[in-house]
Amino acid sequence: MSAALAERVAERERVARAFFGREAPELARACHAMARAFARGGALIPFGSGPAATDAAHAAVEFVHPVIVGKRALPAVAPSNDPTGLSTLDRLARPGDIVLAISHDRNDPTTAALLDRAHERGLLTIGLTAGPGSDGDPPSGPPPGGDHAFAVPSDDPAIVQEVQETAYHVLWELVHVFFEQPGLLEEHGEACITCGDVAVEATVVEVNGATATIEDGAAREQIAVELIDDVAVGDRLLCHAGVALERVERGSAEPADRGARNGDHATDFLYPFQRLEKSDGAGLDSVLADVEASTHQKAEEVIGLRARVDLDAVARCGAALRERLEAGGRLIAFGNGGSATDAQDLAADALAGGRHALALGNDVATVTAVANDVGFEQIFARQLIALGTPDDVAVAISTSGGSPNLITALEEAHRQGMLTIGLAGYDGGRLAELDWLDHLFVVGCDHIPRIQEAQATIYHLMLEAAR
């Protein structure tokens, strides 16, 4: 079994290299187009066809909630109650929005119709689909209506999903690079002073009550100054997102965030290459080249992580999982944020393979009821108390390995005699301290997107081993 799994990992490496080797320049251009749309007030609307609905939800949560990096929350929503997406698109999308359509199949009619409709409405359209077979040849053509179309050259839905996850992570991570170059976001180079991810210094040239006009070089912008007393012409202010944050004394030391502006942010290690070194006035071609290079590095990093997966351990876990499922048990998966959508993906794949499975995050009413009335730490454990049996399998997915609600749920699963499986990043966190945990897979990495991508490979291979 381990040898067969090794062949599947090698196939993933081949497909990923073929895809990103071909598509990195276009992914960079898509990042730029998205940044311009966001800067003009657009929102991202990801749609997923069939099993790819979990990917749409994953993409949305990453853009809205960029964890602790200090990045701006970008508007995104993934509608899940419209099987075609067309009626939701007509009601929800506004001029200037971005439609990201995801399908694990090639020539998916729902995805094609959605992209066509979005294109007709003048929206920015991005398509992630599958391409021809495993021969590595370029796809035969882009989905209809796609401004930026990307087809993963594989017939295996699991491999397609994993490569697509890296692709939409790239779009999310690197769109922020262009906010560091506001002159590249406007049609005519009229840059907004404060639209970048970090605060900037500017000089006050006019004061009008609760607002002031600031100037930085040739650019001017009106900002709110309610947070600072007695603002006067000539003051140097630290500003961000249209708001003055504090006064900068002339001759004082550099502001506290200047290190972040130069790429030394304390949390940069979590999302490497999300912040490329800022070079004021850098041309578009130069920034696109940097983003393209970063894309290649991200792809190589996740390829390396997949190569280090303990396939013997995956095979043993798959055999134990198969034993429970064949005895009538269910696979019960859970996680938070992006890991919640990965748990949904795992459950959906198990169901598609004829197994009994559910994702606890799907029951939003129960999750919010328990969180509101008992506490967020109990949202999964309370469901297991009601739903769990000794034949079941509990799979907790986490990047940190330390989420209290996952630990509490696994403790309940262990108490009931379930098979317990954990997926974590970093050094395993608190999951690594649970000596009774039946199976634990740790992706030894500090970079959250890469952890999630390697975890997808692990649980996909686990399901293969359980067949």
Side-chain angles (χ1 to χ4, degrees), residues 79-383:
S80 59
N81 59 350
D82 181 359
T84 67
L86 296 179
S87 58
T88 298
L89 176 66
D90 289 339
R91 293 191 304 268
L92 184 62
R94 300 170 299 177
D97 285 345
I98 309 161
V99 169
L100 171 63
I102 308 173
S103 173
H104 300 162
D105 301 322
R106 70 170 100 164
N107 301 322
D108 176 64
T110 299
T111 301
L114 180 68
L115 288 169
D116 277 343
R117 179 73 64 85
H119 187 70
E120 290 170 1
R121 296 191 55 186
L123 306 178
L124 175 63
T125 53
I126 302 171
L128 292 174
T129 62
S134 57
D135 55 9
D137 290 337
S140 57
D147 295 314
H148 303 276
F150 306 97
V152 180
S154 176
D155 290 320
D156 186 322
I159 294 177
V160 170
Q161 188 278 331
E162 292 169 30
V163 174
Q164 288 178 342
E165 185 170 347
T166 301
Y168 61 70
H169 276 156
V170 164
L171 294 174
W172 157 56
E173 293 173 271
L174 296 179
V175 71
H176 293 274
V177 171
F178 293 95
F179 296 134
E180 293 289 330
Q181 303 287 345
L184 303 181
L185 301 180
E186 300 297 324
E187 290 285 353
H188 304 293
E190 297 174 355
C192 170
I193 297 173
T194 67
C195 69
D197 284 330
V198 296
V200 297
E201 289 184 30
T203 301
V204 176
V205 295
E206 183 179 343
V207 179
N208 185 11
T211 65
T213 300
I214 57 172
E215 185 177 275
D216 182 21
R220 288 194 174 202
E221 181 181 342
Q222 189 174 68
I223 62 169
V225 293
E226 293 100 329
L227 300 180
I228 304 175
D229 294 330
D230 302 323
V231 172
V233 172
D235 284 349
R236 289 285 288 177
L237 304 180
L238 194 63
C239 311
H240 176 52
V243 178
L245 303 178
E246 63 182 66
R247 180 180 285 104
V248 179
E249 299 297 335
R250 294 185 181 277
S252 66
E254 291 188 337
D257 80 318
R258 182 58 59 84
R261 292 181 66 187
N262 291 331
D264 297 328
H265 196 287
T267 58
D268 278 354
F269 76 97
L270 295 172
Y271 298 86
F273 316 114
Q274 186 173 8
R275 178 186 299 281
L276 300 177
E277 183 176 355
K278 181 175 180 178
S279 175
D280 292 332
L284 177 59
D285 289 345
S286 174
V287 177
L288 288 173
D290 287 341
V291 171
E292 179 182 344
S294 174
T295 299
H296 287 297
Q297 292 177 18
K298 293 175 188 298
E300 288 300 319
E301 182 178 11
V302 73
I303 287 171
L305 291 173
R306 290 184 180 120
R308 295 196 292 273
V309 172
D310 185 342
L311 298 180
D312 290 332
V314 173
R316 291 192 297 271
C317 181
L321 173 61
R322 180 175 61 249
E323 180 180 352
R324 292 294 181 113
L325 296 179
E326 291 180 349
R330 294 173 297 182
L331 185 156
I332 304 176
F334 44 93
N336 298 295
S339 296
T341 68
D342 287 338
Q344 292 169 335
D345 177 51
L346 168 58
D349 287 347
L351 287 168
R355 302 297 195 178
H356 297 294
L358 67 152
L360 297 183
N362 281 341
D363 195 343
V364 177
T366 297
V367 168
T368 54
V370 175
N372 184 63
D373 297 337
V374 182
F376 195 75
E377 187 172 321
Q378 299 295 326
I379 59 172
F380 301 131
R382 180 61 64 94
Q383 292 184 78

